[in-house]
Coordinates of all heavy atoms in Angstrom, one line a residue:
M1 N 0.9 -1.2 0.0 CA 0.0 -0.1 -0.1 C 0.9 1.3 -0.1 O 1.8 1.2 0.7 CB -0.9 0.1 1.3 CG -2.1 -0.5 1.1 SD -3.1 -0.5 2.6 CE -3.6 -2.1 2.7
T2 N 0.5 2.2 -0.8 CA 1.2 3.5 -0.8 C 0.2 4.7 -0.6 O -0.8 4.5 -1.0 CB 2.0 3.6 -2.0 OG1 1.2 3.5 -3.2 CG2 3.1 2.6 -2.2
L3 N 1.0 5.8 -0.3 CA 0.2 7.0 -0.3 C 1.2 8.0 -1.1 O 2.3 8.2 -0.8 CB 0.0 7.7 0.9 CG -1.0 8.8 1.0 CD1 -1.5 9.0 2.4 CD2 -0.2 10.1 0.6
A4 N 0.8 8.2 -2.5 CA 1.7 8.9 -3.3 C 1.3 10.4 -3.5 O 0.1 10.7 -3.7 CB 1.6 8.2 -4.7
L5 N 2.3 11.2 -3.5 CA 2.0 12.7 -3.7 C 2.6 13.0 -5.1 O 3.7 12.4 -5.5 CB 2.9 13.5 -2.7 CG 2.3 13.5 -1.3 CD1 3.4 14.2 -0.2 CD2 0.9 14.4 -1.3
D6 N 2.1 14.0 -5.7 CA 2.4 14.4 -7.0 C 3.8 15.2 -7.0 O 4.7 15.2 -7.7 CB 1.4 15.4 -7.7 CG 0.2 14.6 -8.1 OD1 0.4 13.4 -8.3 OD2 -0.8 15.3 -8.3
Q7 N 3.9 15.7 -5.6 CA 5.1 16.6 -5.4 C 5.5 16.5 -3.9 O 4.6 16.4 -3.1 CB 4.8 18.2 -5.8 CG 3.5 18.7 -5.4 CD 3.3 20.1 -5.9 OE1 2.6 20.1 -6.9 NE2 3.7 21.1 -5.4
S8 N 6.8 16.6 -3.7 CA 7.1 16.3 -2.3 C 7.6 17.6 -1.7 O 7.8 17.7 -0.4 CB 8.4 15.5 -2.2 OG 9.4 16.0 -3.1
T9 N 7.5 18.8 -2.4 CA 7.5 20.0 -1.8 C 6.3 21.0 -2.3 O 5.8 20.8 -3.4 CB 8.9 20.8 -2.2 OG1 8.9 20.9 -3.6 CG2 10.1 20.0 -1.8
A10 N 6.0 22.1 -1.5 CA 5.1 23.0 -1.9 C 5.4 24.3 -1.3 O 6.1 24.4 -0.4 CB 3.8 22.6 -1.4
K11 N 4.9 25.5 -2.0 CA 5.0 26.7 -1.4 C 3.9 27.0 -0.3 O 2.9 26.5 -0.5 CB 4.8 27.7 -2.6 CG 5.9 27.6 -3.7 CD 7.2 28.7 -3.2 CE 8.1 28.7 -4.2 NZ 9.3 29.1 -3.7
A12 N 4.4 27.8 0.6 CA 3.4 28.1 1.7 C 2.2 28.9 1.1 O 2.3 29.5 0.1 CB 4.2 29.0 2.7
G13 N 1.1 28.7 1.8 CA -0.1 29.5 1.4 C -1.3 28.6 1.3 O -1.2 27.4 1.7
E14 N -2.3 29.1 0.7 CA -3.6 28.3 0.6 C -3.2 27.0 -0.4 O -2.7 27.3 -1.5 CB -4.5 29.3 -0.2 CG -6.0 28.9 0.0 CD -6.5 29.3 1.4 OE1 -6.3 30.3 2.0 OE2 -7.0 28.1 2.0
T15 N -3.5 26.0 0.1 CA -3.2 24.8 -0.7 C -4.4 23.9 -0.7 O -5.2 23.7 0.2 CB -2.1 24.0 -0.1 OG1 -1.0 24.9 0.1 CG2 -1.6 22.8 -0.9
V16 N -4.7 23.3 -1.9 CA -5.7 22.2 -2.1 C -5.1 20.8 -2.3 O -4.5 20.8 -3.3 CB -6.8 22.8 -3.1 CG1 -7.9 21.6 -3.3 CG2 -7.4 24.1 -2.9
F17 N -5.6 19.9 -1.4 CA -5.1 18.7 -1.7 C -6.2 17.9 -2.4 O -7.4 17.8 -1.8 CB -4.8 17.9 -0.4 CG -3.5 18.4 0.3 CD1 -3.6 19.6 1.2 CD2 -2.3 17.8 0.2 CE1 -2.4 20.0 1.7 CE2 -1.1 18.3 0.8 CZ -1.4 19.4 1.6
A18 N -6.0 17.4 -3.6 CA -7.0 16.6 -4.3 C -6.7 15.2 -4.1 O -5.6 14.8 -4.6 CB -7.0 17.0 -5.7
V19 N -7.5 14.5 -3.3 CA -7.2 13.1 -2.9 C -8.0 12.1 -3.7 O -9.3 12.3 -3.8 CB -7.4 12.9 -1.4 CG1 -7.0 11.6 -0.8 CG2 -6.8 14.1 -0.6
H20 N -7.3 11.0 -4.3 CA -8.1 10.0 -4.9 C -7.7 8.7 -4.3 O -6.5 8.3 -4.2 CB -7.6 10.1 -6.4 CG -8.3 9.0 -7.3 ND1 -9.5 9.1 -7.5 CD2 -7.7 8.0 -7.9 CE1 -9.7 8.0 -8.3 NE2 -8.6 7.3 -8.5
N21 N -8.8 7.9 -4.2 CA -8.5 6.6 -3.8 C -8.4 5.6 -5.0 O -9.4 5.4 -5.6 CB -9.6 6.0 -2.8 CG -9.5 4.7 -2.3 OD1 -8.5 4.0 -2.6 ND2 -10.4 4.2 -1.6
D22 N -7.2 5.1 -5.2 CA -7.0 4.4 -6.4 C -7.2 2.8 -6.2 O -7.0 2.2 -7.0 CB -5.6 4.7 -6.9 CG -5.3 4.4 -8.4 OD1 -6.3 4.6 -9.1 OD2 -4.1 3.9 -8.8
A23 N -7.7 2.5 -5.1 CA -7.9 1.1 -4.8 C -9.1 0.4 -5.4 O -10.0 1.1 -5.8 CB -8.1 0.9 -3.2
M24 N -9.1 -0.8 -5.5 CA -10.3 -1.5 -6.0 C -11.4 -1.9 -5.1 O -12.4 -1.8 -5.5 CB -9.7 -2.8 -6.8 CG -8.6 -2.7 -7.8 SD -9.3 -1.7 -9.3 CE -10.3 -3.0 -9.9
T25 N -10.9 -2.1 -3.8 CA -11.9 -2.7 -3.0 C -11.8 -2.1 -1.6 O -12.8 -2.1 -0.7 CB -11.6 -4.2 -2.7 OG1 -10.3 -4.5 -2.3 CG2 -11.9 -5.0 -4.0
E26 N -10.7 -1.3 -1.2 CA -10.6 -0.8 0.1 C -10.9 0.6 0.3 O -10.4 1.4 -0.6 CB -9.2 -1.1 0.7 CG -8.9 -2.5 1.0 CD -7.7 -2.8 2.0 OE1 -6.7 -2.8 1.4 OE2 -7.8 -2.6 3.1
N27 N -11.4 1.0 1.4 CA -11.5 2.4 1.8 C -10.2 2.9 2.3 O -9.4 2.2 2.9 CB -12.5 2.6 2.9 CG -14.0 2.6 2.4 OD1 -14.2 2.0 1.4 ND2 -14.8 3.0 3.2
H28 N -9.9 4.2 2.1 CA -8.7 4.9 2.6 C -9.2 6.4 2.9 O -10.3 6.7 2.8 CB -7.7 5.0 1.5 CG -7.0 3.6 1.0 ND1 -6.4 2.9 1.9 CD2 -7.1 2.9 -0.1 CE1 -5.9 1.8 1.4 NE2 -6.4 1.8 0.2
E29 N -8.1 6.9 3.6 CA -8.3 8.2 4.0 C -7.0 9.0 4.1 O -6.0 8.3 3.8 CB -8.8 8.3 5.6 CG -7.8 7.8 6.5 CD -8.3 7.9 8.0 OE1 -9.4 8.3 8.2 OE2 -7.3 7.6 8.8
M30 N -7.0 10.2 4.1 CA -5.9 11.0 4.1 C -5.8 12.1 5.3 O -6.8 12.9 5.3 CB -5.6 11.7 2.7 CG -4.2 12.3 2.5 SD -3.9 13.9 3.3 CE -4.9 15.0 2.3
V31 N -4.9 11.9 6.2 CA -4.8 12.9 7.3 C -3.5 13.6 7.0 O -2.6 13.1 6.7 CB -4.7 12.0 8.6 CG1 -4.7 13.0 9.8 CG2 -5.8 11.0 8.7
L32 N -3.7 15.0 7.2 CA -2.5 15.8 7.2 C -2.1 16.4 8.6 O -2.9 16.9 9.2 CB -2.9 17.0 6.3 CG -1.9 18.1 6.2 CD1 -0.5 17.7 5.4 CD2 -2.4 19.4 5.5
V33 N -0.9 16.2 8.9 CA -0.2 16.7 10.1 C 1.0 17.5 9.9 O 1.8 17.2 9.0 CB 0.0 15.4 11.1 CG1 -1.2 14.8 11.5 CG2 1.0 14.5 10.7
K34 N 1.1 18.5 10.9 CA 2.4 19.2 10.8 C 3.2 18.6 11.8 O 3.0 18.4 12.9 CB 2.0 20.8 11.1 CG 3.3 21.7 10.9 CD 2.9 23.0 11.0 CE 4.1 23.9 10.5 NZ 5.3 23.7 11.3
L35 N 4.6 18.4 11.5 CA 5.5 17.8 12.2 C 6.5 19.0 12.9 O 6.5 20.0 12.4 CB 6.5 17.0 11.4 CG 5.8 15.8 10.6 CD1 6.9 15.1 9.8 CD2 5.0 14.8 11.4
K36 N 6.9 18.6 14.2 CA 7.8 19.5 14.8 C 9.2 19.5 14.1 O 9.7 20.5 14.2 CB 7.9 19.1 16.3 CG 6.8 19.1 17.1 CD 6.9 18.7 18.5 CE 5.5 18.4 19.3 NZ 5.3 17.2 19.7
S37 N 9.6 18.4 13.6 CA 10.7 18.5 12.8 C 10.6 17.4 11.7 O 9.7 16.5 11.8 CB 12.0 18.1 13.7 OG 11.8 16.9 14.2
A38 N 11.6 17.4 10.8 CA 11.5 16.5 9.6 C 11.6 14.9 10.2 O 11.1 14.0 9.6 CB 12.6 16.6 8.6
D39 N 12.3 14.7 11.2 CA 12.6 13.4 11.8 C 11.8 13.2 13.0 O 12.2 12.2 13.7 CB 14.1 13.3 12.0 CG 14.7 14.2 13.0 OD1 13.8 15.2 13.5 OD2 15.9 14.0 13.4
Q40 N 10.7 13.8 13.3 CA 9.9 13.5 14.4 C 9.5 12.0 14.4 O 9.0 11.5 13.4 CB 8.7 14.4 14.4 CG 7.7 14.3 15.5 CD 6.6 15.1 15.5 OE1 6.4 16.2 14.9 NE2 5.4 14.7 16.1
A41 N 9.5 11.4 15.6 CA 9.1 9.9 15.7 C 7.6 10.0 15.7 O 6.8 10.8 16.2 CB 9.6 9.4 16.9
M42 N 7.1 8.9 14.9 CA 5.6 8.9 14.8 C 5.0 7.9 16.0 O 5.6 6.9 16.3 CB 5.3 8.2 13.4 CG 5.5 9.0 12.4 SD 4.4 10.5 12.5 CE 5.7 11.8 12.4
P43 N 4.0 8.5 16.6 CA 3.3 7.8 17.8 C 2.6 6.6 17.3 O 1.3 6.6 17.4 CB 2.5 8.9 18.4 CG 2.1 9.7 17.2 CD 3.3 9.6 16.3
L44 N 3.2 5.5 16.9 CA 2.5 4.3 16.5 C 2.1 3.4 17.7 O 2.9 3.1 18.5 CB 3.4 3.5 15.6 CG 2.9 2.1 15.0 CD1 1.7 2.4 14.1 CD2 4.0 1.4 14.4
N45 N 0.8 3.3 17.7 CA 0.2 2.3 18.6 C 0.2 0.9 18.0 O -0.6 0.6 17.1 CB -1.2 2.7 18.9 CG -1.8 2.0 20.0 OD1 -1.7 0.7 19.9 ND2 -2.7 2.5 20.9
K46 N 1.1 0.0 18.5 CA 1.4 -1.3 17.8 C 0.2 -2.2 18.0 O 0.0 -3.1 17.3 CB 2.6 -1.8 18.3 CG 4.0 -1.0 17.7 CD 5.1 -1.8 17.9 CE 6.3 -1.0 17.2 NZ 7.4 -0.8 18.0
A47 N -0.5 -2.0 19.1 CA -1.7 -2.9 19.5 C -2.8 -2.5 18.5 O -3.5 -3.4 18.0 CB -2.1 -2.8 20.9
K48 N -3.0 -1.3 18.2 CA -4.1 -0.9 17.5 C -3.7 -0.7 15.8 O -4.5 -0.5 15.1 CB -4.7 0.6 17.9 CG -5.3 0.4 19.3 CD -6.1 1.7 19.6 CE -6.9 1.5 20.9 NZ -7.2 2.8 21.5
H49 N -2.4 -0.8 15.6 CA -2.0 -0.7 14.2 C -2.4 0.7 13.7 O -2.8 0.7 12.4 CB -2.5 -1.9 13.4 CG -1.9 -3.3 13.9 ND1 -0.6 -3.7 13.8 CD2 -2.6 -4.2 14.7 CE1 -0.5 -4.8 14.4 NE2 -1.7 -5.0 14.9
R50 N -2.3 1.7 14.4 CA -2.7 3.0 13.9 C -1.8 4.0 14.7 O -1.3 3.7 15.6 CB -4.2 3.4 14.2 CG -5.2 2.5 13.8 CD -6.6 2.7 14.2 NE -7.2 3.8 13.6 CZ -7.6 4.8 14.2 NH1 -7.7 5.0 15.6 NH2 -8.2 5.9 13.5
L51 N -1.8 5.2 14.1 CA -1.0 6.3 14.7 C -1.9 6.9 15.8 O -3.2 7.1 15.4 CB -0.6 7.4 13.8 CG 0.6 6.9 12.8 CD1 0.9 8.2 12.0 CD2 1.7 6.4 13.4
D52 N -1.4 7.3 17.0 CA -2.2 8.1 18.0 C -2.3 9.5 17.5 O -1.4 10.3 17.7 CB -1.5 7.9 19.3 CG -2.4 8.5 20.4 OD1 -3.3 9.1 20.0 OD2 -2.0 8.5 21.5
E53 N -3.5 9.8 16.9 CA -3.7 11.1 16.3 C -3.6 12.2 17.4 O -3.4 13.4 17.1 CB -4.9 11.1 15.4 CG -4.8 10.3 14.1 CD -6.1 10.4 13.3 OE1 -6.7 11.5 13.2 OE2 -6.4 9.5 12.6
K54 N -3.9 11.7 18.5 CA -3.9 12.9 19.7 C -2.5 13.3 20.0 O -2.5 14.5 20.5 CB -4.6 12.2 21.0 CG -6.0 12.0 20.9 CD -6.5 11.6 22.4 CE -7.6 10.6 22.4 NZ -7.1 9.2 22.5
Q55 N -1.5 12.7 19.6 CA -0.1 13.2 19.8 C 0.4 14.0 18.6 O 1.6 14.1 18.5 CB 0.8 11.9 20.2 CG 0.4 11.2 21.3 CD 1.3 10.1 21.7 OE1 2.7 10.3 21.6 NE2 0.9 9.0 22.2
L56 N -0.5 14.1 17.6 CA -0.1 14.7 16.4 C -0.9 16.1 16.2 O -2.0 16.2 16.7 CB -0.2 13.8 15.2 CG 0.8 12.5 15.1 CD1 0.3 11.6 14.2 CD2 2.1 13.0 14.9
K57 N -0.3 16.9 15.5 CA -1.1 18.1 15.2 C -1.8 18.0 13.8 O -1.2 18.4 12.8 CB -0.1 19.4 15.1 CG -0.8 20.7 15.1 CD 0.2 21.8 14.9 CE -0.5 23.1 14.9 NZ 0.3 24.3 14.4
S58 N -3.0 17.7 13.9 CA -3.6 17.5 12.6 C -4.2 18.7 12.1 O -4.9 19.7 12.8 CB -4.9 16.5 12.9 OG -5.7 16.4 11.7
L59 N -4.2 18.9 10.7 CA -4.6 20.2 10.0 C -5.9 19.8 9.2 O -6.4 20.5 8.5 CB -3.6 20.6 9.0 CG -2.2 21.0 9.8 CD1 -1.3 21.5 8.8 CD2 -2.6 22.1 10.7
G60 N -6.3 18.6 9.4 CA -7.6 18.2 8.6 C -7.4 16.8 7.9 O -6.3 16.2 7.9
E61 N -8.5 16.4 7.5 CA -8.3 15.1 6.7 C -9.5 15.0 5.7 O -10.5 15.6 5.8 CB -8.3 14.0 7.7 CG -9.7 13.8 8.6 CD -9.7 12.7 9.5 OE1 -9.0 12.8 10.5 OE2 -10.5 11.6 9.4
V62 N -9.3 13.9 4.8 CA -10.3 13.5 3.9 C -10.5 12.1 4.4 O -9.6 11.3 4.3 CB -9.9 13.6 2.4 CG1 -11.0 13.0 1.5 CG2 -9.5 14.9 1.9
S63 N -11.8 11.9 4.8 CA -12.0 10.6 5.6 C -12.9 9.8 4.7 O -13.7 10.1 3.9 CB -12.5 10.6 7.0 OG -13.8 11.6 6.9
D64 N -12.8 8.5 5.0 CA -13.8 7.5 4.3 C -13.9 7.6 2.8 O -15.0 7.7 2.3 CB -15.1 7.5 5.1 CG -15.1 7.0 6.5 OD1 -14.3 6.1 6.9 OD2 -15.9 7.5 7.3
L65 N -12.8 7.5 2.2 CA -12.8 7.5 0.8 C -13.1 6.0 0.2 O -12.3 5.3 0.5 CB -11.5 8.0 0.1 CG -11.5 9.6 -0.1 CD1 -10.1 9.9 -0.6 CD2 -12.6 10.2 -0.8
K66 N -14.1 5.9 -0.5 CA -14.5 4.6 -1.0 C -13.6 4.3 -2.2 O -13.0 5.4 -2.8 CB -16.0 4.6 -1.4 CG -16.8 4.8 -0.1 CD -18.2 4.2 -0.4 CE -19.2 4.2 0.7 NZ -18.5 4.6 2.1
P67 N -13.6 3.1 -2.7 CA -12.6 2.9 -3.8 C -13.0 3.7 -5.1 O -14.2 3.8 -5.4 CB -12.9 1.4 -4.1 CG -13.2 0.7 -2.9 CD -14.0 1.9 -2.1
G68 N -12.1 4.4 -5.6 CA -12.3 5.2 -6.8 C -12.9 6.6 -6.5 O -13.1 7.5 -7.3
A69 N -13.2 6.9 -5.2 CA -13.7 8.1 -4.8 C -12.7 9.2 -4.7 O -11.4 9.0 -4.5 CB -14.4 8.0 -3.5
D70 N -13.1 10.4 -4.8 CA -12.1 11.6 -4.7 C -12.8 12.4 -3.5 O -13.9 12.7 -3.1 CB -12.3 12.5 -6.0 CG -11.6 11.7 -7.1 OD1 -10.5 11.6 -7.2 OD2 -12.4 11.1 -8.1
G71 N -11.8 13.3 -3.1 CA -12.1 14.2 -2.0 C -11.0 15.4 -1.9 O -10.0 15.2 -2.7
T72 N -11.5 16.6 -1.4 CA -10.5 17.6 -1.2 C -10.3 18.1 0.2 O -11.2 18.0 1.0 CB -10.8 18.8 -2.2 OG1 -12.0 19.2 -1.8 CG2 -10.8 18.3 -3.6
L73 N -9.0 18.5 0.4 CA -8.7 19.2 1.7 C -8.1 20.6 1.3 O -7.1 20.7 0.7 CB -8.0 18.4 2.6 CG -7.5 19.0 3.9 CD1 -8.6 19.3 4.9 CD2 -6.3 18.1 4.5
K74 N -8.7 21.7 1.8 CA -8.1 23.0 1.6 C -7.4 23.4 2.9 O -8.2 23.4 4.0 CB -9.3 23.9 1.1 CG -8.7 25.2 0.5 CD -9.9 26.0 0.0 CE -9.5 27.3 -0.4 NZ -10.7 28.2 -0.8
V75 N -6.1 23.8 2.9 CA -5.6 24.2 4.1 C -4.6 25.4 3.8 O -4.0 25.5 2.7 CB -4.7 23.2 4.8 CG1 -5.5 22.6 6.0 CG2 -4.3 22.1 3.9
K76 N -4.3 26.3 4.7 CA -3.3 27.2 4.6 C -2.1 26.7 5.2 O -2.0 26.5 6.5 CB -3.7 28.5 5.3 CG -2.9 29.8 4.7 CD -3.6 31.1 5.3 CE -2.7 32.3 4.8 NZ -3.1 33.5 5.4
L77 N -1.0 26.4 4.4 CA 0.3 25.9 4.8 C 1.2 26.9 5.2 O 1.4 27.9 4.3 CB 0.7 24.9 3.9 CG -0.1 23.8 3.4 CD1 0.6 22.8 2.4 CD2 -0.3 22.8 4.7
V78 N 1.9 26.8 6.2 CA 3.1 27.7 6.7 C 4.4 26.7 6.5 O 4.2 25.5 6.5 CB 3.0 28.1 8.1 CG1 1.8 29.1 8.3 CG2 3.0 27.0 9.1
P79 N 5.5 27.4 6.3 CA 6.7 26.7 5.9 C 7.0 25.6 7.1 O 6.6 26.0 8.2 CB 7.7 27.7 6.0 CG 7.1 28.9 5.5 CD 5.8 28.9 6.2
G80 N 7.5 24.4 6.8 CA 7.7 23.4 7.7 C 7.5 22.0 7.1 O 7.5 21.8 5.8
N81 N 7.6 21.0 8.0 CA 7.5 19.7 7.6 C 6.2 19.1 7.9 O 5.7 19.2 8.9 CB 8.7 18.8 8.1 CG 10.0 19.3 7.8 OD1 10.4 19.1 6.6 ND2 10.7 20.0 8.6
Y82 N 5.6 18.3 7.0 CA 4.3 17.7 7.1 C 4.3 16.3 6.7 O 5.3 16.0 6.0 CB 3.3 18.4 6.1 CG 3.1 19.9 6.5 CD1 4.0 20.8 6.1 CD2 1.9 20.3 7.1 CE1 3.8 22.3 6.4 CE2 1.9 21.7 7.5 CZ 2.7 22.6 7.1 OH 2.6 24.0 7.5
M83 N 3.4 15.7 7.2 CA 3.1 14.2 6.8 C 1.7 14.0 6.5 O 0.8 14.5 7.1 CB 3.6 13.3 7.9 CG 3.7 11.8 7.3 SD 4.1 10.6 8.6 CE 2.9 10.8 9.8
L84 N 1.6 13.3 5.4 CA 0.2 12.8 5.0 C 0.2 11.2 5.3 O 1.1 10.5 4.9 CB -0.1 13.0 3.6 CG -0.1 14.6 3.2 CD1 1.4 14.9 2.9 CD2 -1.0 14.7 2.0
F85 N -1.0 10.7 5.8 CA -1.0 9.3 6.0 C -2.6 8.9 6.1 O -3.4 9.6 6.2 CB -0.3 8.9 7.3 CG -0.9 9.6 8.6 CD1 -1.8 8.7 9.4 CD2 -0.6 10.8 9.1 CE1 -2.3 9.3 10.5 CE2 -1.2 11.3 10.1 CZ -2.1 10.6 10.9
C86 N -2.7 7.5 5.9 CA -3.9 6.8 6.0 C -3.8 6.2 7.5 O -3.1 5.3 7.7 CB -4.1 5.9 4.9 SG -5.9 5.0 5.1
N87 N -4.9 6.4 8.3 CA -4.8 5.9 9.6 C -6.0 4.8 9.8 O -6.3 4.5 10.8 CB -5.1 6.9 10.7 CG -4.4 6.5 11.9 OD1 -3.4 5.7 12.0 ND2 -4.6 7.3 13.0
I88 N -6.3 4.2 8.7 CA -7.2 3.0 8.8 C -6.3 1.9 9.3 O -5.1 1.8 8.9 CB -7.9 2.6 7.4 CG1 -8.9 3.7 7.2 CG2 -8.5 1.3 7.5 CD1 -9.6 3.7 5.9
K89 N -6.8 1.0 10.2 CA -6.0 -0.1 10.9 C -4.9 -0.7 9.9 O -5.4 -1.3 8.9 CB -6.9 -1.0 11.5 CG -6.2 -2.1 12.4 CD -7.1 -3.0 12.9 CE -6.4 -4.1 13.7 NZ -7.3 -5.1 14.4
G90 N -3.7 -0.7 10.2 CA -2.7 -1.4 9.4 C -2.1 -0.6 8.3 O -1.0 -1.0 7.6
H91 N -2.9 0.4 7.9 CA -2.5 1.0 6.6 C -1.3 1.9 6.8 O -0.3 2.0 5.8 CB -3.6 2.0 6.0 CG -4.7 1.0 5.5 ND1 -5.7 1.4 4.6 CD2 -5.0 -0.2 5.8 CE1 -6.6 0.6 4.4 NE2 -6.1 -0.5 5.1
Y92 N -0.9 2.7 7.9 CA 0.3 3.4 8.0 C 1.5 2.4 8.0 O 2.5 2.6 7.3 CB 0.3 4.1 9.4 CG 1.6 4.8 9.7 CD1 1.8 6.0 9.2 CD2 2.6 4.2 10.4 CE1 3.0 6.6 9.4 CE2 3.8 4.6 10.7 CZ 4.0 6.0 10.1 OH 5.2 6.6 10.4
E93 N 1.3 1.3 8.7 CA 2.4 0.2 8.8 C 2.7 -0.3 7.4 O 3.7 -0.7 7.2 CB 2.0 -0.9 9.9 CG 2.1 -0.3 11.3 CD 1.5 -1.3 12.2 OE1 0.2 -1.6 11.9 OE2 2.1 -1.9 13.1
A94 N 1.6 -0.4 6.6 CA 1.8 -1.0 5.3 C 2.4 -0.1 4.4 O 2.8 -0.3 3.1 CB 0.4 -1.5 4.7
G95 N 2.6 1.2 4.7 CA 3.3 2.3 3.9 C 2.5 3.3 3.4 O 2.9 4.1 2.6
M96 N 1.3 3.5 3.9 CA 0.4 4.6 3.5 C 0.8 5.9 4.2 O 0.1 6.4 5.0 CB -1.0 4.4 3.7 CG -1.5 3.3 2.7 SD -3.3 3.3 2.5 CE -3.5 4.9 1.6
H97 N 2.0 6.5 3.8 CA 2.4 7.8 4.4 C 3.4 8.3 3.5 O 4.1 7.8 2.7 CB 3.0 7.6 5.8 CG 4.1 6.6 6.0 ND1 5.3 6.9 5.6 CD2 4.0 5.2 6.2 CE1 6.1 5.8 5.9 NE2 5.3 4.9 6.2
A98 N 3.4 9.8 3.5 CA 4.3 10.5 2.7 C 4.6 11.8 3.3 O 3.9 12.3 4.0 CB 3.6 10.8 1.2
S99 N 5.9 12.3 3.0 CA 6.3 13.5 3.6 C 6.1 14.8 2.5 O 6.2 14.5 1.4 CB 7.9 13.5 4.0 OG 8.1 12.4 4.6
L100 N 5.9 15.9 3.1 CA 5.8 17.0 2.4 C 6.5 18.2 3.0 O 6.4 18.4 4.2 CB 4.3 17.5 2.2 CG 4.0 18.7 1.5 CD1 4.3 18.6 0.1 CD2 2.5 19.2 1.6
A101 N 7.3 18.9 2.3 CA 8.2 20.0 2.7 C 7.6 21.1 2.2 O 7.3 21.3 0.9 CB 9.7 19.8 2.4
V102 N 7.3 22.2 3.2 CA 6.6 23.5 2.5 C 7.7 24.6 2.8 O 8.2 24.7 4.0 CB 5.3 23.7 3.4 CG1 4.7 25.1 2.9 CG2 4.2 22.7 3.0
T103 N 7.9 25.3 1.8 CA 8.9 26.4 1.7 C 8.2 27.8 1.6 O 7.0 27.8 1.2 CB 10.0 26.3 0.7 OG1 9.2 26.1 -0.6 CG2 10.7 25.0 0.9
E104 N 8.9 28.9 2.0 CA 8.3 30.1 1.8 C 8.0 30.4 0.4 O 8.7 30.1 -0.5 CB 9.3 31.2 2.4 CG 9.9 30.9 3.7 CD 9.5 31.9 4.6 OE1 9.0 33.1 4.2 OE2 9.9 31.9 5.8
Ligands
CU201 CU1 -5.6 3.3 3.7

């Protein structure tokens, strides 16, 4: 499983994430969090196979995307490091995460 971004960097400002679930059968979601640093450790709950979102600074999400569905998330980004991930059980561990660096 992957979460692929068209670009790994973006300019600060009003940004629209156009999210598409390319899967045939599985639901997915996209959560956007701002990191304290590029190498911030992720709060993985190994028993639940999900990240503990309470320990992260969420900027919003596109939730419950059915196979083939699209959604958008509009946010104002400031410079820094961000991560996008799917927090459906097991999906983060399976590789559904990607980094985004935002510059001035
Ligand atoms: Cu997923």
Side-chain angles (χ1 to χ4, degrees):
M1 264 179 229
T2 58
L3 191 159
L5 282 171
D6 292 337
Q7 49 192 89
S8 57
T9 61
K11 291 271 183 205
E14 203 70 55
T15 305
V16 177
F17 292 85
V19 187
H20 175 69
N21 180 359
D22 204 27
M24 300 297 286
T25 56
E26 281 197 276
N27 282 20
H28 290 296
E29 65 177 8
M30 193 280 288
V31 183
L32 174 68
V33 294
K34 184 167 191 307
L35 304 179
K36 294 180 190 117
S37 64
D39 60 354
Q40 181 182 337
M42 287 302 123
L44 178 63
N45 182 323
K46 290 192 175 131
K48 290 187 175 167
H49 300 282
R50 301 172 78 235
L51 293 185
D52 182 0
E53 291 184 34
K54 287 191 218 95
Q55 294 184 48
L56 293 164
K57 189 183 176 193
S58 175
L59 299 179
E61 64 182 68
V62 177
S63 55
D64 291 326
L65 275 181
K66 297 202 176 354
D70 294 282
T72 56
L73 173 67
K74 190 175 172 187
V75 263
K76 193 168 184 188
L77 297 177
V78 297
N81 297 288
Y82 296 78
M83 188 185 61
L84 300 87
F85 62 98
C86 176
N87 212 16
I88 290 172
K89 187 180 180 184
H91 290 198
Y92 174 84
E93 290 166 301
M96 288 197 73
H97 51 87
S99 311
L100 178 70
V102 174
T103 55
E104 306 240 359

